[in-house]
Amino acid sequence: MKKLLILITLLIFASLAGCINEHPVITIPEDVNIINKAISDYEYEPATIDNLEELEIIIQKYNSLEEQYKKHIVNYNVILDNYKHVKELIKENQLIEKSIDDLKKTLLDSLPSSTLNNLQLQKTALVNDEEIELKWISSDPQTIFTNGVVINGRENCNVSLKCIFRYRNKTYEIKKNIIVKPIQFEKLTGNNVFTYMYST
């Protein structure tokens, strides 16, 4: 009887051992949880340029996973879509910065280092195909008006002319010093003439 009980006990243990071998415990890498959390975050709040480095790290973690663990990650396209969106934002910002740099150069080139005449000051300009307003500020508004009118004095006058503009809630400016030349009067030639008029 004892032999029979021992035999049954051994069979039960063998059966249990067989079940454990058929269904081994799978340890999921921590990177899977990190990636799934990032997916959840970016589903509700789209990435910005500041998130580029984090997205690149998540993509690197995903690519380094074995295929058996990738199946535990759901909706990974959220990461790829946000990464593509950030790359497009960076490209757009580069185009905007180039457009602004070009505008600054154009405005500076349009201003002379010295002048005797009125200035032609732009009132509007294009940045990335969007029209913006230009505001001019003169350090001496009695010599150079903000509409470009120049009032000459009796000697050279150094005036700082500034242009300010805003684009997408960011302010930009250029500044240039302009020497306003005095009016040159020609000397009279010939004999001096004196006239006296009398009225009653």
Side-chain angles (χ1 to χ4, degrees):
M1 184 70 178
K2 288 182 179 180
K3 290 182 180 179
L4 181 60
L5 287 173
I6 292 171
L7 181 61
I8 291 172
T9 303
L10 289 174
L11 287 173
I12 291 172
F13 278 119
S15 175
L16 290 173
C19 291
I20 292 172
N21 288 335
E22 287 178 6
H23 303 287
V25 176
I26 298 176
T27 303
I28 298 176
E30 181 61 23
D31 284 351
V32 171
N33 295 329
I34 294 172
I35 295 169
N36 280 327
K37 184 181 183 308
I39 291 171
S40 176
D41 291 341
Y42 287 121
E43 275 182 324
Y44 296 101
E45 188 173 348
T48 65
I49 293 176
D50 294 335
N51 302 123
L52 176 63
E53 185 177 352
E54 181 183 1
L55 287 168
E56 289 176 339
I57 291 172
I58 295 298
I59 291 171
Q60 184 180 5
K61 286 181 182 295
Y62 180 84
N63 291 336
S64 64
L65 284 175
E66 296 179 16
E67 290 300 323
Q68 60 177 326
Y69 300 124
K70 288 182 180 179
K71 65 183 180 181
H72 296 284
I73 296 173
V74 181
N75 208 9
Y76 177 67
N77 280 338
V78 169
I79 298 297
L80 296 179
D81 291 343
N82 274 273
Y83 181 72
K84 181 181 178 183
H85 173 67
V86 168
K87 282 292 194 178
E88 288 171 352
L89 286 177
I90 291 173
K91 184 177 180 181
E92 181 183 5
N93 279 2
Q94 289 172 342
L95 291 174
I96 289 171
E97 289 302 320
K98 183 181 183 308
S99 183
I100 288 173
D101 288 342
D102 290 345
L103 174 59
K104 286 182 176 181
K105 184 178 184 307
T106 299
L107 291 174
L108 286 171
D109 290 345
S110 71
L111 299 175
S113 298
S114 61
T115 186
L116 186 63
N117 305 311
N118 293 337
L119 303 175
Q120 299 296 321
L121 301 180
Q122 286 183 236
K123 297 299 182 184
T124 61
L126 291 178
V127 174
N128 201 30
D129 296 328
E130 296 179 38
E131 187 174 80
I132 61 168
E133 292 185 2
L134 305 177
K135 181 180 179 181
W136 294 92
I137 300 173
S138 173
S139 65
D140 185 354
Q142 303 304 316
T143 303
I144 299 181
F145 289 69
T146 54
N147 61 0
V149 173
V150 172
I151 303 297
N152 308 83
R154 295 184 178 181
E155 56 186 22
N156 285 339
C157 183
N158 194 359
V159 180
S160 176
L161 194 61
K162 182 192 296 185
C163 179
I164 298 176
F165 58 91
R166 288 180 61 81
Y167 182 75
R168 295 191 179 181
N169 298 322
K170 190 173 180 181
T171 302
Y172 303 87
E173 70 174 55
I174 59 114
K175 185 191 294 184
K176 189 166 184 176
N177 291 328
I178 301 174
I179 297 174
V180 177
K181 295 180 178 180
I183 298 174
Q184 299 294 328
F185 295 98
E186 293 183 5
K187 291 183 178 180
L188 294 175
T189 58
N191 298 326
N192 293 333
V193 177
F194 176 79
T195 303
Y196 176 79
M197 296 183 65
Y198 175 77
S199 176
T200 59

